[in-house]
């Protein structure tokens, strides 16, 4: 999978561009606030139809403009595809795939991207919600239908919370449905984490960086998930009636991340957290390849910050050997020695190729 070219009009600070890309490595250089991350964001938006930087898509429209337009030509599993996306300030969105409105099942399959951006490190050590989102987004990346299970669970959860606030609530009509979808979600999470932990084990052979990684989701390990849920809901039902909302289930669970059996939240430096997250992205890439036999597109925003030269070299060498197309914002493009690269300079939203 790779992007041949992208056309942008009035996306963030990019007024108008038509850029062709290298199949392997594309380096975007420039000073701060010139638009490096905006280019990555446009590619990410072409995958998920939302930003990784703002919840309001209207913020992506260039100031004083009424809409933006993205056109991407890409190769996906030997198939040529043309994707066009239009969005205006009233949040009207139009998507065309090969000049036709795409079916829902194909909406997220044209372009597949894995992104790293510096502030994502906070996901590892702040609120449980961030870690749940990280895992759930990763599962969705492999199987787009997973989002339907999450949506159905959240709909049932909302109905149950409404029921718990009522005075006449002797019989709980929503518990069994909630448990049914809880089991589905928990099983998917366990399966995914087991696969990623397996990928982590293949990374342990670095002689210079002696770190092993692990994600823990211990609550249901080697236990009957449905029995645990039934027992827990029975034990806390009176407490739920008192507070008026559901106190147990996938929507409040947490995951723990470990380096050399030490919890990242408590013991790891910022550099270690970043290297863990980068290796998580690499494991995610390998997991995707196992399912589809081709690599997704990698987007790295400011990969080099807070990494020492040894870690940079180890990671770059690994990625360059086993990956597809890569987009990387950087200040030092000479540290990537591959011949199959294109260097793009961006200044005030204008892109030019450096020969």
């Amino acid at each position: 999978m790779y992007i041949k070219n992208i056309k942008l009009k009035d996306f963030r600070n990019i007024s108008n561009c038509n850029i062709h890309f290298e199949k392997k490595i594309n380096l975007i250089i420039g000073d701060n606030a010139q638009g490096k991350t905006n280019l990555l964001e446009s590619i990410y938006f072409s995958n998920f139809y939302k930003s990784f930087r703002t919840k309001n898509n209207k913020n992506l429209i260039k100031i004083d403009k009424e809409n933006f337009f993205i056109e991407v030509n890409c190769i996906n599993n030997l198939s040529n595809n043309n994707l066009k996306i239009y969005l205006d300030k009233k949040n009207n969105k139009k998507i065309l795939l090969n000049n036709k409105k795409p079916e829902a099942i194909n909406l997220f399959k044209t372009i597949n991207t894995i992104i790293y951006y510096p502030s994502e490190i906070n996901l590892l050590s702040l609120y449980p919600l961030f870690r749940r989102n990280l895992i759930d987004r990763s599962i969705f990346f492999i199987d787009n239908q997973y989002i339907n299970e999450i949506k159905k669970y959240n709909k049932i959860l909302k109905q149950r919370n409404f029921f718990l606030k009522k005075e006449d609530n002797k019989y709980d009509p929503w518990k069994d449905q909630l448990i049914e979808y809880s089991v589905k979600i928990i099983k998917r999470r366990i399966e995914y984490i087991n696969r990623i932990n397996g990928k982590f084990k293949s990374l342990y052979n670095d002689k210079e960086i002696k770190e092993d990684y692990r994600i823990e989701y211990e609550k249901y390990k080697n236990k009957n998930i449905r029995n645990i849920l039934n027992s827990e809901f029975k034990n806390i039902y009176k407490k739920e009636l008192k507070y008026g909302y559901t106190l147990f289930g996938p929507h409040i669970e947490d995951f723990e991340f470990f380096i050399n059996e030490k919890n990242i939240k408590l013991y790891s430096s910022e550099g270690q957290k970043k290297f863990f997250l980068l290796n998580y992205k690499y494991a995610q890439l390998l997991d995707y390849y196992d399912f589809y036999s081709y690599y997704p597109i990698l987007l790295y925003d400011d990969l080099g910050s807070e990494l020492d030269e040894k870690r940079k070299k180890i990671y770059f060498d690994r990625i360059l050997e086993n990956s597809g197309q890569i987009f990387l914002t950087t200040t030092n493009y000479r540290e990537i020695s591959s011949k199959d690269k294109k260097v793009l300079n961006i200044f005030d939203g204008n892109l030019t190729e450096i020969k």
Side-chain angles (χ1 to χ4, degrees), residues 160-166 169 235-248:
R160 186 170 188 265
N161 287 343
F162 178 76
F163 157 79
L164 290 171
K165 292 178 174 68
K166 295 171 63 176
N169 47 23
N235 292 335
I236 65 173
Y237 187 55
K238 290 183 179 179
K239 192 174 181 179
E240 288 182 323
L241 292 176
K242 178 182 177 181
Y243 289 104
Y245 56 88
T246 303
L247 297 173
F248 188 76

Side-chain angles (χ1 to χ4, degrees), residues 91-178:
N91 214 29
N92 296 314
K93 188 188 298 176
K94 184 177 180 181
I95 301 170
L96 293 176
L97 178 59
N98 300 323
N99 292 316
K100 296 179 181 179
K101 184 177 180 180
E103 298 179 8
I105 194 171
N106 295 320
L107 199 58
F108 299 97
K109 293 183 177 180
T110 306
I111 299 170
N112 295 110
T113 63
I114 294 175
I115 190 165
Y116 166 84
Y117 52 97
S119 62
E120 202 175 12
I121 293 175
N122 296 327
L123 301 178
L124 303 179
S125 53
L126 290 180
Y127 305 111
L129 171 64
F130 295 158
R131 291 183 286 281
R132 287 197 300 273
N133 286 344
L134 176 65
I135 298 299
D136 285 339
R137 286 201 316 268
S138 300
I139 299 171
F140 169 75
F141 183 68
I142 294 294
D143 182 1
N144 300 157
Q145 297 307 305
Y146 178 65
I147 193 65
N148 295 327
E149 294 175 4
I150 296 291
K151 286 180 176 179
K152 288 176 182 177
Y153 175 87
N154 287 334
K155 184 176 180 180
I156 296 167
L157 178 66
K158 183 178 179 180
Q159 295 290 341
R160 186 170 188 265
N161 287 343
F162 178 76
F163 157 79
L164 290 171
K165 292 178 174 68
K166 295 171 63 176
E167 292 184 6
D168 183 17
N169 47 23
K170 293 181 180 179
Y171 170 71
D172 184 349
W174 299 104
K175 184 191 74 172
D176 289 343
Q177 291 185 55
L178 196 69

